[in-house]
Structure formats: C-alpha cells, structure tokens
Amino acid sequence: MKRVGILTSGGDCQGLNAAIRGVAKALYEKWGSEVDIYGIQDGYRGLIEGSYRRMKQEDFSGILTLGGTILGTSRQPFKMMRVIGEDNVDKVKAMKSNFKKMKLDCLVILGGNGTHKTANLLSEEGLPVVSLPKTIDNDVWGTEMTFGFHSAVEIATNVLDCIHTTATSHGRVFIVEIMGHKVGWLPLYAGIAGGADVILLPEIPYKLESIVKTLEQRNKAGKRFSILAVAEGALSQKEAKLSKKEFKAARAEMKYPSISYALAAEIEEKTGQEIRVTVPGHFQRGGSPCAYDRVLSTRFGTAAAQLIYEQNYGNMVALQGGSIVPVPLSEVAGKLKTVPPACEEVRSARDLGISFGD
Ligand code: F6P
C-alpha cells in the first residue's frame, strides 16, 4: 500500500482543487486501491499539529470547478519554521515526526514562493516531496506559469472593463488597485487586457510628474477619462531609493489605507481632477478557475502523480516551453520571478502609448 500526503499552503487561488483532483485521480488510475491519500488540514499547520484525514476517492469528485481548497490553507512564514516559539514546538521536528506517524511514502505540496522555501527545507531534511506552483501572482521561479494567475487576470480585467463604462460616462479618472505586492504580472496583464492608460508595477517605480503628464495629454487630446491599473506594491522613484527599513517607516506613516489612495490624493492636488479608487482585493483570488487554469492544474496534477510513481522526489512540476517538466526544489526556493522592466509585454504596452509612470 502506498500512502501519499497532500497539503495546500499560503494564500488560496483558483485551480487548487483542480490540481488536487489531478494528483488524486492520476494516482488512483495508476495504483487503484493500492494507494491511500491523506489530506493534511490547513497547510503546514496541519503537518505541524498532526491534523489530517484519510481521503476517499469520492472526495476528489465534483471539485474541478470549485474555488478555494478542500484541504484548507494557512500562512506559516518560512522565517519562523526553525524558530521555537512560546509553545515550545520545534516545527521542523514536528512535521518530520507526523510524516513518520502517518507512514507516508511522500508529501505533495501545493503553494507559492514561501511554501516552496519550506518544501525545499523538508526535502533537505530528507522527506520525499513533490510540489506544484500555485499563485495569482505568477511569481514562482522556474515555471512560465502558475495556476490561479489567468483566473485572477480574468477577474481584474472584468473590474477594469466595468470601471471603463463609469469612467467614460462621467469623464473621470479611476485607479484600480490590483494584487501584487512584490511582483506585477497580474496588474501588467490585467492592465493590458483591460485597456488601462497607466500601469504601475513594483518593478518600475513611478514619478508623479510623469503620471500627471499622461493625464494632461489625454485631457488635451479630448479623452474624457483615464484609468490607472496600480499594483498593491507600486512605489515611487523616491521610495525606491530608500532602505527597506526607511521604506517601511515611510509607509507606516502614510495616512491612507494603501498606495492607490495616497496616489489619488497626490494626483488630485496636482491636477484638480476628481479621482476614484476601486480595490477588488480578494475577489481576485475567488471563484471558479478559468478554463486555462483547469487545464494547467490538471496537467500539473497528473505530472506530479507521475513523479510520485517514479519516486522522482525533490522536484516542483513546472511549465517550460509549453511542456511540463520537473525542476529541483533547491533551484526554485528563495527566488522570485519578477517582471523584467524591458520584457516583451511591457514593450508592447509602451508601443500602444500606455504609461508606466517612469
Ligand atoms: O500571494 C497572493 C496574494 O494574493 C498577493 O497578491 C497579495 O498581495 C497577498 O496574497 C494577500 O495576502 P493575504 O490574503 O494574506 O491578505
């Protein structure tokens, strides 16, 4: 009998259940009743606390289109994994001991960047691990695409489309704040798909004057409205020069709930134009996965099952050049796939006249 543990960790996204289903169905196809799958509750927390259940085949039916994760998830910061807190629990030791207690042959981990650092740690500690890259941010190194990203692009684009109609009717300037603290793939793609006039990304710090100039040029050209797609993690060129500590302190003093509101106030002051801010927030992670994500999650899931079948552990399944390939966890952990400021998508947007505020 083979025993496989599975967990989802970090922020949820669309396609997690489709990927879980892909792994499980492919394992049952390969091993039939010779495999038992254990669902670990709420990510690494469940592995630390020993909270898990034996899954039945029917648990994996009817979940392809379901948002969220049937296993639950939580954020367990990597930097705290080796820190023994007030509860006196050695988390790494506890995870290894529960893995043993469950008599698992391997552990399947679905997650983003932080999750992959801990997946690599567990692999280095000798646990047989296979992982799948999920996140709406599409910032996991080693894969051209993560599942969740395209579903979130659809939602954020839809927000921009809806805002367009009101912006046109009222002749207003709107800011739509799109998720992405450190990496701007989502605002970049949604901004292009949703016809934004200005896109602000963490990777391309902005100058207020440059944004104001774009808005004035649009006014002069008789365009009644403007839409800015602003990443949660957008920052000014001045802020980009600050040390991490100084930046944190400056942001702590900011009297607005997020950068978009601060920017709106600054633009209002400079132009006298009224600005409205819309923040779709966690809407972007919710609901059913789009067709692309269902296919990608399924491909990742079945590829992960194949790695388990071959006992090819210590890898993440990744999309490279259109194919699904294994990438060693040691190569993935600790790296971010950021938007290269000169990438083809940014160039194409600039060719259209979209401003990046720089
Ligand atoms: O990593 C996914 C993500 O949705 C980011 O885009 C966003 O900045 C962050 O998670 C929000 O985290 P939380 O759900 O913990 O508020």
Side-chain angles (χ1 to χ4, degrees):
M1 179 65 82
K2 295 280 168 197
R3 294 163 73 100
V4 176
I6 184 161
L7 65 83
T8 52
S9 165
D12 73 340
C13 72
Q14 305 89 339
L16 277 166
N17 288 324
I20 292 169
R21 169 184 175 270
V23 176
K25 286 207 169 200
L27 287 179
Y28 290 130
E29 279 296 316
K30 288 180 199 308
W31 277 314
S33 54
E34 287 305 299
V35 61
D36 261 345
I37 300 178
Y38 286 81
I40 297 160
Q41 188 65 37
D42 295 342
Y44 292 122
R45 188 198 290 153
L47 191 58
I48 295 166
E49 294 174 358
S51 168
Y52 54 86
R53 65 183 192 276
R54 181 174 170 268
M55 308 290 284
K56 298 193 229 72
Q57 288 212 24
E58 57 264 37
D59 292 330
F60 302 105
S61 279
I63 61 168
L64 172 65
T65 62
L66 195 66
T69 159
I70 58 166
L71 300 174
T73 188
S74 65
R75 289 195 189 276
Q76 304 293 322
F78 170 73
K79 62 175 185 217
M80 299 307 288
M81 279 300 173
R82 292 213 184 263
V83 178
I84 304 197
E86 278 172 12
D87 55 8
N88 227 8
V89 174
D90 181 330
K91 295 183 261 304
V92 176
K93 208 167 150 193
M95 288 193 279
K96 286 167 73 177
S97 134
N98 280 319
F99 180 92
K100 242 180 158 177
K101 222 192 291 166
M102 291 160 75
K103 298 194 176 73
L104 296 179
D105 292 293
C106 83
L107 182 62
V108 183
I109 298 173
L110 287 76
N113 271 300
T115 299
H116 274 88
K117 290 189 216 166
T118 300
N120 184 49
L121 180 158
L122 291 176
S123 177
E124 285 175 350
E125 287 284 327
L127 297 195
V129 171
V130 169
S131 74
L132 288 79
K134 67 93 223 187
T135 167
I136 65 165
D137 297 331
N138 191 27
D139 60 355
V140 176
W141 192 91
T143 184
E144 284 154 18
M145 194 52 65
T146 57
F147 61 87
F149 175 67
H150 273 290
S151 304
V153 170
E154 291 292 330
I155 296 173
T157 302
N158 190 27
V159 173
L160 287 164
D161 289 350
C162 292
I163 289 299
H164 247 106
T165 59
T166 304
T168 332
S169 314
H170 287 263
R172 268 188 193 152
V173 177
F174 267 93
I175 291 180
V176 179
E177 183 174 291
I178 298 176
M179 275 188 163
H181 265 302
K182 290 188 184 148
V183 175
W185 290 111
L186 180 54
L188 175 61
Y189 270 63
I192 294 173
D197 307 298
V198 178
I199 301 176
L200 302 183
L201 309 178
E203 293 90 342
I204 307 179
Y206 64 80
K207 255 191 330 226
L208 181 65
E209 300 71 40
S210 167
I211 300 170
V212 168
K213 198 170 143 203
T214 303
L215 299 181
E216 284 171 353
Q217 278 168 351
R218 282 182 58 80
N219 277 344
K220 271 195 204 128
K223 295 174 181 166
R224 273 168 45 82
F225 70 94
S226 292
I227 296 185
L228 291 79
V230 175
E232 287 175 308
L235 74 170
S236 68
Q237 293 187 357
K238 257 194 222 149
E239 287 178 310
K241 289 193 185 113
L242 302 177
S243 69
K244 221 173 161 183
K245 205 171 152 196
E246 289 167 335
F247 177 74
K248 257 190 156 177
R251 281 296 169 97
E253 271 177 26
M254 189 170 84
K255 57 178 189 205
Y256 298 98
S258 72
I259 185 64
S260 297
Y261 290 92
L263 194 57
E266 285 181 316
I267 300 174
E268 264 181 14
E269 201 192 313
K270 286 259 179 215
T271 63
Q273 267 179 295
E274 206 185 352
I275 321 274
R276 292 280 197 273
V277 177
T278 294
V279 184
H282 289 79
F283 260 95
Q284 294 162 96
R285 295 215 311 244
S288 200
C290 65
Y292 178 93
D293 277 337
R294 293 179 202 182
V295 175
L296 186 64
S297 298
T298 303
R299 290 175 73 197
F300 278 154
T302 56
Q306 183 62 28
L307 291 184
I308 297 166
Y309 194 65
E310 293 165 1
Q311 300 187 16
N312 189 356
Y313 301 126
N315 288 302
M316 175 186 87
V317 288
L319 182 73
Q320 286 184 4
S323 300
I324 310 288
V325 296
V327 178
L329 283 170
S330 54
E331 285 181 23
V332 174
K335 293 182 198 149
L336 262 188
K337 189 184 69 187
T338 54
V339 176
C343 70
E344 198 265 334
E345 291 91 332
V346 170
R347 269 192 287 127
S348 166
R350 287 193 197 276
D351 286 347
L352 273 189
I354 296 176
S355 161
F356 284 83
D358 52 343

